[in-house]
Amino acid sequence: MTSNFTNPKSLAVIGASKTPGKIGFALINNLLESGYKGNIFPINPKEKEILGAPSFPSVMEVPEDVETAIFAVPAKKVPDVAKECGQKGVKNLVVLTAGFKETGREGMELEKKFLSICKKHHMRVLGPNCVGFIDTHTPINATFLKGFPVKGEIAFISQSGAILAAILDWSQTVGIGYSKIYSLGNKADLNEVDCIAEAAGDPNTKVILCYIEDVASGPEFIKVVSEVTGKKPVVILKSGASQAGARAASSHTGALAGSDLAYDVAFKRCGVLRAYSMSELFDLAIAFVNQPIPKGKNVAIVTNSGGPGIIATDKVEAHGLQMARFLKETIEELRLNLPPEASIYNPVDVLGDGRADRFRFALEKVLEDKSVDSAAVLLCPVAVTEPLETARAIIELNNAYPEKPIVAAYMGGQALADGAKLLSQKGVPCFTMPEPAIAALAGMSSYADLKITAGAGENNGSFKPDQKTVKAVFYDVSRDHRLTLLGSEAAEVIDAYGIAATATVLSRSPEEAAEIAENMGYPVVMKVASPKIIHKTDVGGVKIGVHTCDEVKRGYVNIMENVHRYLPKVVPHGVEIQKMAPEGVELIIGMTRDVQFGPLIAFGLGGIYVNLLKDVSFRLAHDISNKEIKEMIAETRAYKLMKGYRGEKPVDIDAVSEAIRKLSLLAVDFPEIVEVDINPVFAYERGITALDVKITLS
Ligand code: COA
């Protein structure tokens, strides 16, 4: 996308119409009314002029250069018109027309045909099936939407035209302004990443908002958006389940990853803030546009009633913020100047009869306090409340302390309307309830935290994996027409990548099993070897703590009989013999592959209750950094066990981190691996050992 996509020198409107009610009319009317200063050339085979502008029968007949053409002609005409644009040397197309891939196979073919013409002539395309774009600073309204937003600093990118239309109309009633608006439509060519990148370079844009249902390319998204979030906040509302979720997962890790997790993980990697509702998206936008980013997590609350103060306090904690602990001087000043019944600790309660001067005093004192990073003012209406005066005081203090964000909750309706309106107009985000006010502060605070955490290169270090062994195992498995590795094969694979696995040897008869066990030393564990059996314990396919040669032989026969009884059609490869490992902290390290974002790495509490406890955290495997590994371990409850729970000795966290790193590397090196479950991994005071490894290939 060229950087002046929303500021073209000249425009052709193909399908411009004189008939009110048609899209071709609304479009040219919007363009003319928006005050666009470039040349507009209406194109219509029948008309000589449209709304006062001379019209041409074809773009080929326009006597001057045309930089951008906007299409409002029926779908079947689009390829021919595109060809003419290509011949004319048009650079960008914006196609409002519907009837392409969103309608099915025929539409898909038409879209492909159209796109190949555009590629041939090096034309970039926004749409098709979109409502166009707006830039309030150019100014230009290249849409068929109703109305033109006021100038502002929000760029809004939407995959849904209908959502754009609704938001634009709502924004006009509440006075939210925009710098740019892009409708993505079918994203045949230009997509969210192009628009985010353009908005990132736009000096008029302070925050970038997106509504998307998917991303066009995961790697591209991560690369570009990671850079953008270093400069300005990107807030995304993503709806719809990802394709990864649609695929049935055969591993614990895959099942835990769920449908939408890859987006969470990818957004975290790039520093994108994820909104979970439209209102959250815009609450955050308003906060980012008007208020500074807080320097820390300490919030002060000033209220005129106890209940809302408690609700807000709960929310502060729930969002991972902290209630500021005021300095002694602050507390003393509040004590001396507020009534004795007032609460002088955080939340500061100026009492029900608190007028504007009391709010002003308390708010100023807490803003002066070094231990306060942000403030929320909560106001409930009683007869003596002064909503407008209080609003003025908040605005003045917001200007006097430009480093500390302030949000307000004016909890009521009619009685507070004037004050609430004034606050919003002057840039203090004002909500009706305390929860979104605190959520807005939390969103801004997490933007400050979301530093880009990828650590390209950290993976390699001096560690050299044995790729040859892995290739050889995969070759044998594919020759055997299997997709799932046997336990012994999987153990060999992770061992080649430096993850210690308990020695596992396949036996094909009771005698062979006994011989292996004798060599290994007792006690041993015996497990049925079959890629077709996912839950071995459930079919009587596992024996733990086997101590003698005879027990091993009997165990072998018994396992085979059990399996035959439960699954008569399955013929196991034999029984795997494993040295019994001493008890350790039971963990899971796993991997699942997402179609968009590639391998995701998982870590958490292991064992048979993994799916029940769901104590698992995920990150992108590509370029995983030390910081990310540390964070993913620390955010699980397993971490508490690892640090030594109730007098237990702490386990080797470094060895666990190393295993996460090495499994990430394996997942990146071998794209044919779809899923890995190492469950359990026993972690000890020194080192770890993988007891059960499952690997599935594509
Ligand atoms: N070059 C220029 N103009 C042409 C043309 C050509 N090759 N062929 C036809 N036209 C003119 C028509 O004469 C007409 O002008 P007129 O009103 O003066 O007669 C105009 O282009 C539009 O063509 P028409 O056949 O009347 O189509 P339409 O207006 O009924 O529908 C669309 C066209 C694009 C609006 C319609 O196909 C469509 O896609 N609608 C859905 C849009 C949508 O929802 N988009 C996605 C939003 S999320």
Side-chain angles (χ1 to χ4, degrees), residues 164-177:
L164 250 185
I167 288 300
L168 199 62
D169 196 39
W170 166 75
S171 301
Q172 276 157 356
T173 48
V174 293
I176 295 179

Side-chain angles (χ1 to χ4, degrees), residues 359-435:
F359 267 104
R360 177 195 293 271
F361 176 78
L363 184 58
E364 176 145 35
K365 284 299 145 215
V366 300
L367 288 172
E368 263 175 16
D369 190 315
K370 276 203 308 266
S371 63
V372 171
D373 301 309
S374 62
V377 180
L378 316 177
L379 181 136
C380 290
V382 292
V384 299
T385 311
E386 295 172 332
L388 200 56
E389 267 311 300
T390 308
R392 288 197 186 105
I394 298 170
I395 294 158
E396 272 172 37
L397 291 169
N398 194 205
N399 295 332
Y401 294 87
E403 304 248 287
K404 299 191 179 182
I406 302 180
V407 293
Y410 265 39
M411 303 174 61
Q414 202 49 42
L416 307 181
D418 286 353
K421 193 170 166 202
L422 184 68
L423 285 168
S424 299
Q425 279 170 350
K426 297 293 177 188
V428 177
C430 184
F431 304 88
T432 317
M433 299 297 163
E435 294 93 333

Side-chain angles (χ1 to χ4, degrees), residues 466-476 670 672:
D466 173 9
Q467 295 192 342
K468 251 191 191 161
T469 297
V470 179
K471 280 182 194 156
V473 173
F474 288 177
Y475 177 74
D476 287 346
F670 291 91
E672 61 266 55

Side-chain angles (χ1 to χ4, degrees), residues 10-239:
S10 55
L11 281 176
V13 182
I14 304 182
S17 173
K18 267 187 170 171
T19 312
K22 288 186 110 174
I23 284 186
F25 175 84
L27 172 65
I28 188 133
N29 194 42
N30 277 348
L31 280 164
L32 291 166
E33 284 194 348
S34 65
Y36 172 64
K37 292 186 190 67
N39 284 331
I40 300 179
F41 304 108
I43 312 293
N44 183 303
K46 297 179 303 198
E47 306 290 350
K48 291 268 171 293
E49 65 74 35
I50 293 174
L51 295 175
S55 175
F56 300 87
S58 144
V59 72
M60 303 287 281
E61 298 190 34
V62 174
E64 291 173 43
D65 285 348
V66 173
E67 186 172 337
T68 296
I70 312 176
F71 287 25
V73 290
K76 60 180 187 310
K77 296 193 174 172
V78 164
D80 287 343
V81 175
K83 235 179 249 169
E84 290 182 0
C85 288
Q87 283 159 9
K88 172 74 183 162
V90 175
K91 303 218 162 27
N92 300 312
L93 305 183
V94 178
V95 183
L96 311 186
T97 311
F100 291 88
K101 79 172 170 212
E102 79 282 4
T103 58
R105 231 182 106 170
E106 241 174 76
M108 170 87 89
E109 290 306 319
L110 189 65
E111 189 166 311
K112 270 194 197 154
K113 184 176 168 192
F114 161 62
L115 204 60
S116 72
I117 295 165
C118 298
K119 289 227 163 95
K120 186 173 159 208
H121 293 282
H122 309 290
M123 296 185 289
R124 302 306 308 262
V125 183
L126 185 66
N129 188 32
C130 74
V131 297
F133 71 86
I134 286 174
D135 189 316
T136 55
H137 295 266
T138 298
I140 184 170
N141 182 359
T143 72
F144 58 94
L145 295 170
K146 208 168 158 51
F148 191 57
V150 290
K151 267 190 194 163
E153 296 171 304
I154 301 173
F156 184 33
I157 299 158
S158 175
Q159 195 164 341
S160 154
I163 284 186
L164 250 185
I167 288 300
L168 199 62
D169 196 39
W170 166 75
S171 301
Q172 276 157 356
T173 48
V174 293
I176 295 179
Y178 292 88
S179 49
K180 289 166 182 282
I181 287 177
Y182 304 87
S183 166
L184 298 174
N186 289 4
K187 305 199 280 194
D189 174 26
L190 295 169
N191 58 49
E192 58 286 332
V193 171
D194 301 291
C195 298
I196 290 172
E198 206 213 4
D202 171 29
N204 298 313
T205 297
K206 206 166 165 190
V207 51
I208 301 170
L209 299 195
C210 301
Y211 165 77
I212 53 169
E213 284 141 24
D214 54 20
V215 301
S217 155
E220 189 68 15
F221 181 91
I222 290 171
K223 184 166 159 267
V224 175
V225 180
S226 300
E227 278 178 30
V228 173
T229 55
K231 293 185 219 148
K232 34 185 105 166
V234 177
V235 191
I236 299 185
L237 174 63
K238 144 85 182 64
S239 68

